[in-house]
Amino acid sequence: MSTHKSSEPSFHISDHTVPSATVVAGFSAFGLAGLTAADYLVDHLDLTETGHLTADALPSITPFEAGRPRHHSRFFSRPDLDLTVFVNELFLPAPVADSFADALLSWTDEHGVSEFVVLSGVPYAHGPDEHDTFYVASDDYRDHRLADVDIRPMGRGFLDGINGALMYRGIESDLQTAVFITPVHAQVPDVSAAIRLIETFDRVYDLGVDAGPLEEFARTVEQYYQDLAARLEKVEERQTPEDRMYM
């Protein structure tokens, strides 16, 4: 019997609760600001795990806490809140971004998700007075969510990797998509960047999320994030998606 596995990555989502109309995601990337922000939303909003994503043919991780393993890519929600948070600790090389996005977006189509938002810290050149959060968003998302919110659009550039794949779907379908972007530094986690993302997200969705305790929250998981970042650096030496943006 052959035990050969296909080298092509595949992804499968298992859920036991229908997701909310709005999904917000944080991914493993330089500085881990988006991941920190998404993880904090789960903690602050008292969400519970409602599903997970598995991946084949990728260098994988199995996180654990207090001796208990958990899935690297998890969905969280609660019955009385129209929000699902996707916390993705699995690093995604550029060549798998499209297939990963296809799996996510087939899932959003199946469950009638109307909005997909990414919180993203991106390492790009910026001055000391340019620590702000910007957006790249589909026209329908801008009309629905940003018309009355004072957030600046990103000036010019392009998205690639998972952010680019998800945003392209926003152009080509009825799914309203947005990426909130802030400059990120090498420290792990970049708490200041994560705070900016949380504050921007709450300005749009008005959930009463207080970013003040995030620094304490980040300290409790700092060593874990540092270990995760060290693993990312090893993978990034081989291949990494790069977001290039210009003001």
Side-chain angles (χ1 to χ4, degrees):
M1 179 183 296
S2 172
T3 59
H4 175 73
K5 292 184 178 180
S6 170
S7 61
E8 292 297 318
S10 62
F11 305 94
H12 176 70
I13 294 176
S14 300
D15 58 66
H16 49 268
T17 300
V18 175
S20 306
T22 297
V23 175
V24 59
F27 297 103
S28 286
F30 186 88
L32 300 181
L35 181 64
T36 305
D39 205 6
Y40 180 73
L41 284 174
V42 170
D43 183 76
H44 188 80
L45 295 173
D46 196 25
L47 308 182
T48 58
E49 185 174 343
T50 55
H52 63 270
L53 178 148
T54 56
D56 296 324
L58 276 181
S60 190
I61 59 172
T62 302
F64 62 89
E65 184 174 358
R68 298 183 62 187
R70 65 172 185 258
H71 295 283
H72 50 64
S73 305
R74 292 157 292 145
F75 299 91
F76 297 86
S77 62
R78 74 180 201 219
D80 61 335
L81 184 66
D82 188 18
L83 180 70
T84 294
V85 179
F86 181 46
V87 178
N88 182 71
E89 299 174 78
L90 178 67
F91 177 73
L92 298 170
V96 310
D98 286 339
S99 56
F100 186 90
D102 285 344
L104 273 180
L105 295 167
S106 295
W107 175 77
T108 62
D109 289 346
E110 178 184 353
H111 293 295
V113 173
S114 59
E115 297 180 346
F116 200 105
V117 180
V118 179
L119 306 179
S120 183
V122 177
Y124 62 89
H126 62 282
D129 58 346
E130 295 175 338
H131 289 95
D132 207 345
T133 304
F134 307 88
Y135 73 81
V136 178
S138 60
D139 290 343
D140 48 6
Y141 185 91
R142 292 201 308 271
D143 292 342
H144 181 54
R145 292 290 187 183
L146 301 177
D148 299 319
V149 182
D150 185 20
I151 303 172
R152 288 187 289 168
M154 204 73 192
R156 178 176 295 180
F158 62 87
L159 298 167
D160 59 8
I162 186 63
N163 290 351
L166 291 169
M167 186 54 58
Y168 187 77
R169 179 63 66 94
I171 299 173
E172 293 292 310
S173 75
D174 292 333
L175 183 67
Q176 299 174 26
T177 55
V179 181
F180 291 116
I181 300 161
T182 195
V184 69
H185 300 279
Q187 67 264 31
V188 177
D190 189 335
V191 178
S192 296
I195 288 174
R196 291 193 298 272
L197 292 170
I198 288 289
E199 291 177 341
T200 299
F201 180 78
D202 197 58
R203 284 164 61 193
V204 176
Y205 288 92
D206 194 24
L207 296 177
V209 178
D210 179 10
L214 195 149
E215 290 197 28
E216 179 61 32
F217 171 82
R219 279 194 290 270
T220 66
V221 294
E222 182 175 10
Q223 186 59 56
Y224 173 76
Y225 280 160
Q226 288 175 351
D227 293 343
L228 179 61
R231 186 180 187 281
L232 290 181
E233 287 178 4
K234 292 180 181 178
V235 178
E236 286 172 340
E237 290 175 359
R238 298 192 294 271
Q239 188 169 36
T240 181
E242 180 182 2
D243 289 316
R244 303 174 181 87
M245 272 160 271
Y246 305 89
M247 296 298 292

